[in-house]
Amino acid sequence: MKAVRFHEYGDPDVLRYEDVEQPVPAAGQVRVRVAATSFNPIDASVRAGTMRGPMPVVLPHTPGRDVAGTVDALGEGVDGLEVGATVIGFLPMTDDGASAEYVLAPADVLTPAPTSIPLSDAAALPLVGLTAWQALFEHGKLAAGQRVLINGAGGAVGGYAVQLAKNAGAHVIATAGPRSGEAVKSAGADEVVDHTTTSVAAAVTEPVDVVLNLAPVDPAELTALAAVVRPGGVLVNTTVWMPAPSDEERGVRGIDLFVRSDAGQLSQLVGLVDGGKLRVEIAERVPLAGLPALHARAAEGGVHGKVVVPSA
């Protein structure tokens, strides 16, 4: 089969589109014929070697945490899945990923794919959708009638977070630049703050229950965001290289989010997609052979929005 792999850590040019042996599922595993994966910034960090501590991988390594595809073969002891079923999943961080024609996945990370959108487009959902879900509901405990500030809402996670928060009945304040402001408003934000012209902390005149920070802001800005959280509220931060600030005097909790695979939560996201309550937005579709060039563009800041990588 064809796959994109890197045999050493480094710049995007270490990625190779090459022939590899088709994998054989072990007990508890499923072999998936990949319809598509997607590009996530974490893929570039792993390739560059900056995540060797928390996410050690065996070289050569195939990137691609998201998978959408068709069950091709079952390992021993796998129940509840049938050959030919369409599935999506968020693959374990240290296993080989789905930038290939076939990939092995633990059966318990897979869930039936949405039926209302093309299967390959569903690869845009798992990692970023789960990040938004876990940030808002698992850690933020967001409920109807509450106020949430989503900082950095113009990215892929932010697009889902705005929709999910609005679906939950929250009042959504979102920050975005000029390029993504209209998309964020279309996703359901009640207020959109242009962070390129306005101080976010100054623009939020009424305290919020939850802040979700998705942007690589400096520590002073992150601390200022914590100040707009009401007493007893929470700031959830996904830029994990910079710890989330807390305010013990006011009971404001700071939480650093490390997204994890959860097939049950992913199934709920699929239900929202098929129910017409959650849009899956695709910025680009890049063929598997073009993945090295995509990594190179991303390194230069030339990738915006969610990019799906079909295997064929």
Side-chain angles (χ1 to χ4, degrees):
M1 69 173 189
K2 289 292 188 181
V4 173
R5 305 193 297 178
F6 56 89
H7 295 248
E8 59 184 348
Y9 295 111
D11 293 333
D13 59 9
V14 300
L15 291 167
R16 303 180 192 173
Y17 179 62
E18 58 191 8
D19 292 307
V20 302
E21 290 294 323
Q22 192 179 91
V24 177
Q29 289 184 323
V30 173
R31 184 170 67 210
V32 177
R33 179 161 53 86
V34 178
T37 186
S38 80
F39 174 76
N40 292 292
I42 189 66
D43 296 328
S45 297
V46 172
R47 183 215 70 233
T50 59
M51 300 298 290
R52 271 180 277 190
M55 298 176 192
V57 299
V58 176
L59 299 179
H61 178 73
T62 303
R65 297 304 96 207
D66 292 314
V67 64
T70 305
V71 174
D72 178 72
L74 304 175
E76 184 180 350
V78 174
D79 296 317
L81 288 170
E82 296 181 354
V83 171
T86 56
V87 294
I88 62 172
F90 171 25
L91 301 173
M93 286 288 192
T94 55
D95 290 359
D96 273 331
S99 299
E101 293 179 323
Y102 293 86
V103 68
L104 297 180
D108 60 6
V109 308
L110 300 174
T111 198
T115 58
S116 59
I117 61 174
L119 179 58
S120 60
D121 285 3
L125 181 62
L127 189 153
V128 289
L130 286 170
T131 300
W133 181 281
Q134 290 169 18
L136 292 172
F137 305 125
E138 188 172 308
H139 298 291
K141 310 296 184 187
L142 186 68
Q146 292 188 325
R147 292 167 54 82
V148 58
L149 169 63
I150 301 172
N151 190 47
V157 175
Y160 287 120
V162 170
Q163 294 181 75
L164 290 170
K166 193 62 182 174
N167 285 341
H171 180 88
V172 182
I173 307 165
T175 74
R179 180 173 48 230
S180 54
E182 281 304 314
V184 169
K185 188 173 182 180
S186 175
D190 297 288
E191 303 176 43
V192 179
V193 178
D194 183 349
H195 64 83
T196 66
T197 61
T198 307
S199 163
V200 178
V204 180
T205 56
E206 183 181 339
V208 300
D209 300 277
V210 179
V211 167
L212 171 52
N213 180 59
L214 306 169
V217 298
D218 64 40
E221 289 179 273
L222 196 57
T223 299
L225 291 177
V228 306
V229 180
R230 65 161 179 80
V234 60
L235 185 153
V236 183
N237 178 45
T238 64
T239 55
V240 295
W241 57 87
M242 183 171 51
S246 299
D247 186 338
E248 293 183 5
E249 284 188 13
R250 299 191 306 116
V252 174
R253 295 175 297 129
I255 295 174
D256 296 305
L257 172 64
F258 295 85
V259 64
R260 71 178 199 288
S261 185
D262 188 307
Q265 293 175 354
L266 187 54
S267 179
Q268 293 185 69
L269 290 167
V270 168
L272 291 171
V273 171
D274 282 342
K277 296 181 178 180
L278 187 66
R279 296 201 311 266
V280 176
E281 302 285 356
I282 309 295
E284 290 184 71
R285 295 170 181 83
V286 173
L288 182 60
L291 187 60
L294 175 62
H295 273 241
R297 274 200 294 129
E300 296 170 355
V303 173
H304 306 286
K306 193 63 177 171
V307 182
V308 163
V309 183
S311 66

